[in-house]
Amino acid sequence: MNAKLAQKKNEDKFYKKGDFWIRVSLSILFLSIFFIVFFWCNGQLYFTKVNYVDDYRNFPFQVHIIDVEQGDSFLIKFPNNQVMLIDCGTQDEGENVVRYVKAFFKNEGLNKIDYLLLTHQDADHVGGATKVLSQINVENLIRPKVVTESESDLYPYYQVSQSQTYDTVINLAYQNECNIIFGEKGLEYDFDGAVVEFLSPSQNYYSASNDYSAVVMITCQTKKFLFMGDATKQIEQTLIAEYGDYLKADVLKVAHHGSSTSSSLEFLQIVQPEYAIISAREQSDFPSAQVSNNLNSLNIDILSTANLNNFAITIYNNQIVYAKAIFPSSELALLISIIIIALILTWGIKFKDNTNKKKQK
């Protein structure tokens, strides 16, 4: 019995020298493989509080549609790496917009919003701007032709705001020393070949707040994107009269979440989009039956945040393509499980020191 114990003790000696360092080396190897794959595949997105669309990372032109429930928010990257954020949803959704924009910055290597466009003064478009302006560097603010009470003497020909939310946003923009620009017909920017044109508003005063909406046409390569804000059918008629077939676009951001106040059949027949974007809450009355019928009758594909949540659009091989945000998947869980099993096995296996054994012989 004692002989057997002595033999076992001698055998154990063969495992001890270098055994610990072999295990440590293998553990470092497995963990290195894990972290390389994890970060290379952007696995950290699975642990953020925002579902970010990473499919088009480093593409020169990207349009990100941020799900802000019953509101609007669109993040656009242009070929010169400048960024425009169109609207920010409600105040309650502001933090979601900030998280999405920060995830975008991290993945694109950017750090500021060059242009924050507030299409009009309604709270479901400007409310979240307080969070954006408080947490993100914004260089230029493009705003509707509606002024706060304190500005009324400077702009006597513009309507005075009746919205405390809007007033707070404008005052914060002044405090942050943003360059403030009034959005109006004729305003135009060229971002290294991607052109942003303001088609409306053309007047200084409207009776309906939605008619102040900035209507923006973005042209990149051979594709056109038309953003309508909450513009009404009356504005649509004005646009048809002024621009006619120039309104034809590949992607239409449907006005007013698909409300029946907008998107007349005549207007849609002129625009003839391949895709119609609708920003609306799940299980809501949007789009209206009338607008849905109009879109379906023209075989226009509807892309709605109610169904897709966050999604993004780009141009690839001269075609419009889109992708929805990624959600935690079993692939990441599988990778973590494999690494854990490998580590357990590493520390459970004895590694024989053959060198010492040969010396004893």
Side-chain angles (χ1 to χ4, degrees), residues 100-306:
Y100 195 97
V101 172
K102 286 184 176 180
F104 168 80
F105 283 166
K106 183 175 182 179
N107 286 277
E108 296 294 329
L110 302 172
N111 57 17
K112 64 184 171 70
I113 294 172
D114 298 280
Y115 293 88
L116 171 57
L117 167 58
L118 304 178
T119 57
H120 62 299
Q121 62 271 34
D122 286 2
D124 59 331
H125 292 253
V126 306
T130 54
K131 296 286 180 67
V132 172
L133 288 165
S134 298
Q135 300 183 49
I136 296 174
N137 180 20
V138 176
E139 286 202 345
N140 300 280
L141 177 76
I142 305 176
R143 57 182 285 195
K145 292 182 173 183
V146 177
V147 298
T148 64
E149 185 68 41
S150 61
E151 298 175 296
S152 57
D153 290 339
L154 296 173
Y155 306 101
Y157 35 85
Y158 290 169
Q159 187 184 55
V160 177
S161 164
Q162 302 297 314
S163 166
Q164 184 61 48
T165 301
Y166 177 74
D167 292 353
T168 300
V169 170
I170 297 303
N171 291 331
L172 186 55
Y174 277 117
Q175 291 173 26
N176 291 357
E177 299 182 344
C178 296
N179 179 38
I180 295 181
I181 305 159
F182 286 103
E184 60 183 340
K185 176 185 175 182
L187 188 63
E188 184 174 315
Y189 297 94
D190 188 332
F191 299 107
D192 197 16
V195 178
V196 177
E197 303 171 80
F198 284 68
L199 309 185
S200 188
S202 57
Q203 301 173 197
N204 291 337
Y205 181 84
Y206 293 93
S207 57
S209 66
N210 286 337
D211 287 342
Y212 283 92
S213 291
V215 175
V216 176
M217 179 75 82
I218 299 177
T219 305
C220 186
Q221 298 177 30
T222 61
K223 303 301 180 182
K224 296 170 73 176
F225 298 71
L226 181 59
F227 292 83
M228 292 297 296
D230 280 356
T232 64
K233 290 178 180 178
Q234 181 177 342
I235 297 298
E236 291 175 358
Q237 288 301 312
T238 301
L239 292 170
I240 291 171
E242 292 182 358
Y243 294 99
D245 290 340
Y246 186 74
L247 295 172
K248 180 170 172 46
D250 302 275
V251 178
L252 171 69
K253 199 298 289 188
V254 174
H256 206 185
H257 321 291
S259 167
S260 59
T261 60
S262 311
S263 304
S264 66
L265 183 60
E266 180 185 4
F267 179 74
L268 294 176
Q269 287 172 331
I270 295 266
V271 179
Q272 298 180 42
E274 180 181 359
Y275 294 106
I277 298 171
I278 295 178
S279 185
R281 182 187 297 116
E282 274 188 275
Q283 298 178 339
S284 68
D285 295 328
F286 296 94
S288 70
Q290 180 183 342
V291 171
S292 291
N293 290 337
N294 287 346
L295 293 169
N296 290 330
S297 69
L298 298 172
N299 296 317
I300 299 169
D301 289 336
I302 299 174
L303 305 178
S304 173
T305 56

